Amino acid sequence: MKPISSEKQVPQPFRDGRRRGIPGRAPVARATAWVDALTLALPAEELGLIEAGGRVLAAPVVAPADVPARDRAADDGYALCAGETLGASDYNPLSFRIQEAGAAVGPHAAALVCAGERLPAGADAVLTFEAARLADSTLEVYRAVAPGAGVEQRSRCARAGDALLERATLLGPRHLALAATAGVERLQVFGRPRVRLIVAGPKAADAIDADGLMLRALVARDGGFVESLAAGGGSEICSAIVAPGADAILIAGRTGAGVDDEAPLALAEASELALHGVAMRPGESAGMGMAGGVPVFLLPGDPVGCLCAYEMFAGRWIRRLGGREPGLPYPVCEAGLRRKIVSNIGFVEFFPVRFAGEDVGPIGSAQSGGIASVARADGFVIVPAPSEGHPAGARVAVHLYGDGRRDRS
Amino acid sequence: MKPISSEKQVPQPFRDGRRRGIPGRAPVARATAWVDALTLALPAEELGLIEAGGRVLAAPVVAPADVPARDRAADDGYALCAGETLGASDYNPLSFRIQEAGAAVGPHAAALVCAGERLPAGADAVLTFEAARLADSTLEVYRAVAPGAGVEQRSRCARAGDALLERATLLGPRHLALAATAGVERLQVFGRPRVRLIVAGPKAADAIDADGLMLRALVARDGGFVESLAAGGGSEICSAIVAPGADAILIAGRTGAGVDDEAPLALAEASELALHGVAMRPGESAGMGMAGGVPVFLLPGDPVGCLCAYEMFAGRWIRRLGGREPGLPYPVCEAGLRRKIVSNIGFVEFFPVRFAGEDVGPIGSAQSGGIASVARADGFVIVPAPSEGHPAGARVAVHLYGDGRRDRS
């Protein structure tokens, strides 16, 4: 499919769906292509290592010097010249003179070293304590060692100029440790997308809380930052759309065809409603458009529809903007299906599933269990638009939540 | 293997390993059994939904009422009695009178409703706008609907008293949405383990930064809270061990057999060194013991050894204390091995691996690439103590980091 640029796209004349029905059902691929064609860039930031954890590298990290910068003792023990240990054994101990660590190790001499210390000149190996016995200032050596034994060679980790970490690395504990070890103190990372949330409905007060809470947690998971969270209807939507300072605007609720569904109209009047209605269930009243150069995502008020539309479109944008993989942020595994899944042709459909042993079973759909089923699920199966579903016993791809219950039963 | 309780265990007489070598190499299973036998409990906390995100439920969540509490419109449209639409078609439109939404729907009448609104009495279905046309105050209905169509039934999500979320659920966005939808405002969650970090060496200044940074990020990942972070040697270790206020004490560095390796001695003198030396590489100088009823973990100063010992022992305790799954917090997949892995019999060994297509290849070991290899890895392979390793082409279990590079190449 050809990507549709939001610039080049010819906007359809706005049709107010209220009391008439959502105006269309764009294919999911068209909606994701719209997201992928957006071209707002966030400036990179330079941060210290503590602050950089959980961010994404905007530039590769290069070793400023060899790591380590010189040969070091890898073990605690005695630094010496390996060649002089040749022939040493329990039956033939060889004697070495113990000398101070600071100076170069002389012939038939050994110096006490701690792991991590610089290897003294003249030494090319570190003998562990188990291989020798100290008597006064004479070391009896019982084992021969090869050159390099017990030594962490200069540049073992990296040479000066080596790429240590690739661009787009999501910085975890081990990456921070490497940067610190290499003496890199500041990192160039992607900025955090500023997200404006407007929770607009539906009217049931409980759903307002649910969508706001859920979206706040989803945005944080995806590396974004909730710049503001407001609740309200038409006038709040209108003012939120035009105010500067956000990289994404998310409006949850009032996206449908009811008399109170003011979000599509507000966006169309303020700027451009690119798309209203997606061939996807849950989430078919989702929409998107631009306002003041910032993408605005209309998310259904129903929590499950809101979740699906966030993950597929709004989250895709936030993840991409922050340098993350834009696709669904879940590992995928294959599993057998215990019971059939029946899906509507023409709609991408999401089915929450739960493991029972190695297989998964659907646990209700948006129609039957709502957010309770999704919360109890271990993951979900996506049935593409042309498919009627899957028979029992089919092998299906399962997107795994990875949180949730500790034990699968 | 029989679990070893820290209470029942007979402590071995302490042998100072300095200048002699680490006193033993306990099997990894013995060290994990020591962790699993610890019995310090953190009191549960009651938190609001925003604060509870990322925590673990200490008690199941039960629906206080039916969710939803009454039948609601699932779609925008017209609420009516489904039976009265029988026979309606494009060729046979049926006429309905439009009435106010507040009152019960009378015979051959329909009321405009928005998704999420309470279904008026007398109605059992919601007709979408596409299935009807409004002319003045008369609704022409073109399609028959079944009872329940467009209706979200009372208790569709849950009945009053139903278990909504199980104990030990790690609270993600969808769980918060369910709790909010069900009207649950506060949750009982496990407390956050308070972790004291002492970064004690080795002497190389870079490693001090590396271990502290890495451990801070690992503790946060595992739901813990770094109560304090100090750097220093023997006296700092001694005072950190005896001060109250921590649920776990982690000492990174000075765990080996060098003259500066004061951590095991400090723990033995202050209280009880249960174990020093584990048959594991990297990480073999790890140790553990109790001080004032709090477990103390000795982690090697080398960042890779520190990481392995944290993940296997200290992290296991922190995760368990906070209600999480105590095992390694990585998904596991199976993959083919491109090059052989050679491992020492008698040691559990960790090998960083990287994907190339569907297969993984080792990218150095602790001996050859250090933290640079670990940082570049997609995951790691664990070779058990009795094994010599795996030949090329073997199928191996890969623990996946899940962070790191966006693209596998």
Side-chain angles (χ1 to χ4, degrees):
Chain A
M1 179 171 186
K2 218 171 141 186
I4 296 157
S5 152
S6 56
E7 280 78 28
K8 290 176 198 163
Q9 190 179 10
V10 180
Q12 299 294 309
F14 175 68
R15 182 167 88 65
D16 187 353
R18 290 179 300 168
R19 300 190 190 222
R20 304 211 289 182
I22 298 164
R25 299 289 188 284
V28 167
R30 193 177 145 226
T32 54
W34 186 88
V35 175
D36 293 347
L38 295 168
T39 54
L40 182 60
L42 264 183
E45 294 178 64
E46 193 184 271
L47 295 181
L49 297 186
I50 292 179
E51 294 74 29
R55 296 292 199 95
V56 178
L57 278 180
V61 174
V62 170
D66 289 350
V67 186
R70 51 187 66 87
D71 291 353
R72 296 198 300 205
D75 292 329
D76 303 303
Y78 299 101
L80 41 61
C81 172
E84 295 177 350
T85 65
L86 210 69
S89 73
D90 286 340
Y91 304 102
N92 182 37
L94 300 180
S95 293
F96 285 69
R97 179 173 47 87
I98 287 290
Q99 66 165 69
E100 287 298 310
V105 170
H108 298 286
L112 190 64
V113 290
C114 295
E117 281 183 352
R118 180 178 189 161
L119 197 71
D124 61 1
V126 175
L127 195 74
T128 58
F129 294 113
E130 288 90 343
R133 194 168 56 202
L134 190 66
D136 297 326
S137 64
T138 299
L139 187 72
E140 305 272 84
V141 171
Y142 296 95
R143 228 175 289 154
V145 287
V151 174
E152 188 184 29
Q153 304 285 349
R154 173 180 177 160
S155 77
R156 172 180 78 115
C157 259
R159 284 175 204 284
D162 278 358
L164 293 175
L165 295 170
E166 296 168 37
R167 186 178 183 277
T169 298
L170 176 58
L171 292 162
R174 68 198 199 283
H175 307 113
L176 301 178
L178 173 59
T181 299
V184 176
E185 289 180 356
R186 298 185 72 77
L187 298 173
Q188 291 285 327
V189 298
F190 281 88
R192 292 176 73 190
R194 298 162 302 170
V195 179
R196 181 172 302 151
L197 296 183
I198 304 101
V199 182
K203 290 204 188 95
D206 55 6
I208 293 186
D209 294 333
D211 290 343
L213 267 168
M214 182 174 66
L215 289 170
R216 183 199 290 267
L218 288 165
V219 167
R221 180 203 67 188
D222 287 342
F225 166 77
V226 175
E227 167 256 17
S228 67
L229 190 157
S235 61
E236 287 80 6
I237 295 171
C238 290
S239 47
I241 285 175
V242 297
D247 303 306
I249 299 171
L250 276 48
I251 303 171
R254 306 217 180 177
T255 59
V259 285
D260 65 347
D261 284 321
E262 298 148 327
L265 180 65
L267 180 53
E269 286 185 344
S271 193
E272 179 210 336
L273 178 69
L275 193 153
H276 182 209
V278 181
M280 168 175 114
R281 283 181 184 160
E284 66 183 310
S285 69
M288 51 202 76
M290 298 295 284
V294 175
V296 180
F297 296 91
L298 309 182
L299 310 173
D302 161 64
V304 184
C306 184
L307 175 62
C308 291
Y310 174 86
E311 293 287 30
M312 293 295 286
F313 311 123
R316 187 177 181 90
W317 167 238
I318 293 166
R319 292 186 293 267
R320 183 156 78 82
L321 199 57
R324 294 170 189 238
E325 168 62 46
L328 294 173
Y330 301 107
V332 177
C333 76
E334 203 186 87
L337 194 61
R338 288 164 64 89
R339 286 191 296 112
K340 72 175 175 183
I341 286 178
V342 179
S343 174
N344 292 288
I345 290 180
F347 287 84
V348 171
E349 292 198 57
F350 298 83
F351 293 86
V353 296
R354 195 168 157 113
F355 274 92
E358 299 291 301
D359 293 342
V360 295
I363 49 165
S365 64
Q367 277 65 48
S368 72
I371 189 70
S373 297
V374 173
R376 286 176 56 236
D378 294 318
F380 54 93
V381 169
I382 304 175
V383 178
S387 168
E388 282 183 280
H390 300 291
R395 303 289 299 172
V396 293
V398 180
H399 286 74
L400 297 168
Y401 282 122
D403 60 357
R405 295 176 306 145
R406 271 172 50 167
D407 311 304
R408 287 173 177 177
S409 60
Chain B
M1 179 169 187
K2 217 172 142 187
I4 296 159
S5 153
S6 55
E7 279 77 29
K8 290 177 201 164
Q9 192 178 6
V10 180
Q12 298 294 308
F14 174 67
R15 183 169 86 67
D16 187 353
R18 290 180 299 168
R19 301 193 190 218
R20 306 211 289 181
I22 299 165
R25 298 288 187 284
V28 168
R30 193 178 145 225
T32 54
W34 185 87
V35 175
D36 293 348
L38 295 168
T39 53
L40 182 60
L42 265 182
E45 295 179 62
E46 192 184 272
L47 295 181
L49 297 185
I50 291 179
E51 294 75 29
R55 296 291 199 97
V56 177
L57 278 179
V61 174
V62 170
D66 289 350
V67 186
R70 51 188 67 85
D71 291 352
R72 296 198 300 206
D75 292 329
D76 303 302
Y78 299 100
L80 42 60
C81 174
E84 295 177 350
T85 64
L86 210 70
S89 74
D90 286 340
Y91 304 103
N92 182 37
L94 300 179
S95 294
F96 284 71
R97 178 174 49 87
I98 287 290
Q99 66 165 68
E100 287 298 311
V105 170
H108 299 285
L112 190 64
V113 289
C114 295
E117 281 182 352
R118 181 178 187 158
L119 197 73
D124 61 2
V126 175
L127 195 74
T128 60
F129 293 114
E130 288 89 342
R133 194 168 58 204
L134 189 67
D136 297 327
S137 63
T138 299
L139 188 71
E140 305 272 85
V141 171
Y142 296 95
R143 229 175 290 153
V145 287
V151 175
E152 187 185 30
Q153 303 286 348
R154 171 179 178 161
S155 75
R156 171 181 79 114
C157 261
R159 285 176 204 282
D162 277 359
L164 292 176
L165 295 170
E166 295 168 38
R167 185 177 185 277
T169 298
L170 176 58
L171 292 162
R174 68 198 199 282
H175 307 114
L176 301 177
L178 173 59
T181 299
V184 176
E185 290 180 356
R186 298 186 73 76
L187 299 174
Q188 291 285 326
V189 298
F190 281 88
R192 292 176 74 191
R194 299 162 301 169
V195 179
R196 181 172 303 151
L197 296 183
I198 303 103
V199 182
K203 290 204 188 95
D206 55 5
I208 293 186
D209 294 332
D211 289 343
L213 266 167
M214 183 174 66
L215 288 171
R216 186 201 286 270
L218 288 165
V219 167
R221 180 203 66 188
D222 288 341
F225 166 76
V226 176
E227 168 255 16
S228 68
L229 191 157
S235 61
E236 288 80 5
I237 295 172
C238 290
S239 47
I241 284 176
V242 296
D247 302 307
I249 299 172
L250 276 49
I251 302 171
R254 308 219 178 173
T255 59
V259 286
D260 66 345
D261 284 321
E262 299 149 326
L265 181 64
L267 180 53
E269 287 186 344
S271 191
E272 179 209 337
L273 178 68
L275 192 153
H276 182 208
V278 181
M280 167 176 115
R281 284 182 183 159
E284 65 183 311
S285 69
M288 52 202 77
M290 298 294 284
V294 176
V296 180
F297 296 91
L298 308 183
L299 310 173
D302 161 63
V304 184
C306 184
L307 176 62
C308 291
Y310 174 85
E311 293 287 31
M312 293 295 286
F313 311 123
R316 186 177 182 89
W317 167 239
I318 294 167
R319 293 186 292 268
R320 184 156 77 83
L321 200 57
R324 294 171 190 238
E325 170 61 46
L328 294 173
Y330 301 107
V332 177
C333 77
E334 202 186 88
L337 194 60
R338 288 163 66 88
R339 287 190 296 111
K340 70 175 174 184
I341 286 178
V342 179
S343 174
N344 291 288
I345 290 181
F347 288 84
V348 171
E349 292 200 56
F350 298 83
F351 293 86
V353 296
R354 196 166 155 113
F355 274 91
E358 299 290 302
D359 293 341
V360 294
I363 48 165
S365 64
Q367 277 65 46
S368 72
I371 189 70
S373 297
V374 173
R376 287 174 57 235
D378 294 319
F380 55 93
V381 169
I382 303 175
V383 178
S387 168
E388 282 184 280
H390 300 292
R395 303 290 297 172
V396 293
V398 180
H399 286 74
L400 298 168
Y401 282 123
D403 60 357
R405 296 176 306 145
R406 271 173 49 170
D407 312 303
R408 287 174 179 176
S409 61

